[in-house]
Amino acid sequence: MRAFAVAEGSTALSEMEFPTPAPQGTEVLLRVTRSGVCHTDTHLRAGYYDLGRRGKLRLTDRGIPYPLTMGHEVVGVVEAAGPDAGGVETGGTRLVYPWIGCGECGACLAGRENACPQGRNLGVARPGGYADHILVPHPRYLLDIGDLDPSWAAIMACSGLTAYGAVSKVLPLPPDAPVVVTGAGGVGLTAVATLRALGHRAVCAVDRVEANLAVARDLGASMTVAATGEDLAGAVLAATGGPVAAVIDFVNNELTAPAGFDVLAKGGTMVQVGLFGGELTIPTALLALKMVTVQGSFVGTLPELGEVLDLAKRGVVPRIPVIDGELSLKGVTDSLDRLAAGGVAGRIVLKGE
């Protein structure tokens, strides 16, 4: 099998050949037909996360094995299954839940594998979907996409799930209480669409790129703010008419995070999702006086992915723009370069053979 992977010590992808896995036990082998490209993979390609004054959190320090085959938004066709993978039929098209835990800790036993401290996520700690095939450890991580377009279904595994998980942390709210969505890339746009689909009317999208804001308006944003000036908080407050009930930050850097805190109303909630890096310094007195909640959010649970798929199947959530690409060395590399440069209004999905 071919894989488009990063070697240790490198930031360039290479085409590599590996033995096609023979599934054992409960494992299931799928031929990859769609693989979404996530901005997180630009950080994985770089080999670290930016921790501000604390330096860099390197993947090697987290025990991530190399070569690293990324790609965690995967739809594929079942080709083979281990002897203990009951009920799996070959030939079926399935969406892969990639946020896999150890299966033994309290978080995993509670159904929150995405919160596992020893996560074995596909596309990070295990080989992912930038390849011909992907090995999934258990059939419970495979979801039937029904009649959904496979490209649309693929992005549910991260873009859809991450947006849904973050939105769920701020709702319910009065429908006209302003919610700010910072970052109108693929995940942020999905969050705008999800908020509107769940009945929220006051959604303010923030981005540097007007094309992204135009798509956000098409998907239901009632207000948009161009993040081009020096006073981002002031621009948001001017658009929303005052402090806001919630902020969901899909950028989450040292510019957007302080602005998000500054625009929160008393008792407001700030959900930090993006991995752009930096740090947030909060006045401790204001944290208490404003009674705000600052919460991190990382993707979502397996049951939540089922809920996201159900919303999509019922046509509740509108489809965000999907940009087609080819699952090849050039296709993966070019797509990651585009995301790193910014301004992609939608989600890139690579097609396999």
Side-chain angles (χ1 to χ4, degrees), residues 225-239:
V225 172
T228 54
E230 294 183 359
D231 184 8
L232 178 57
V236 171
L237 290 171

Side-chain angles (χ1 to χ4, degrees), residues 49-56 249 251-262 270 272 274-283 294:
Y49 295 104
D50 177 7
L51 301 183
R53 286 178 294 180
R54 298 192 181 195
K56 297 176 179 178
D249 190 346
V251 178
N252 194 21
N253 65 16
E254 56 193 18
L255 297 176
T256 63
F261 182 84
D262 288 344
M270 183 165 74
Q272 303 303 95
L275 298 171
F276 279 70
E279 57 189 339
L280 170 64
T281 301
I282 296 175
V294 179

Side-chain angles (χ1 to χ4, degrees), residues 22 37 41 53 59 76 92 109 112 125 135 150 164 196 202 221 230 246 297 325 327:
V37 184
D41 288 340
R53 286 178 294 180
L59 299 186
L109 295 176
R112 299 185 300 112
L135 188 67
Y164 185 77
R196 290 308 302 257
E230 294 183 359
S297 185
L327 187 55

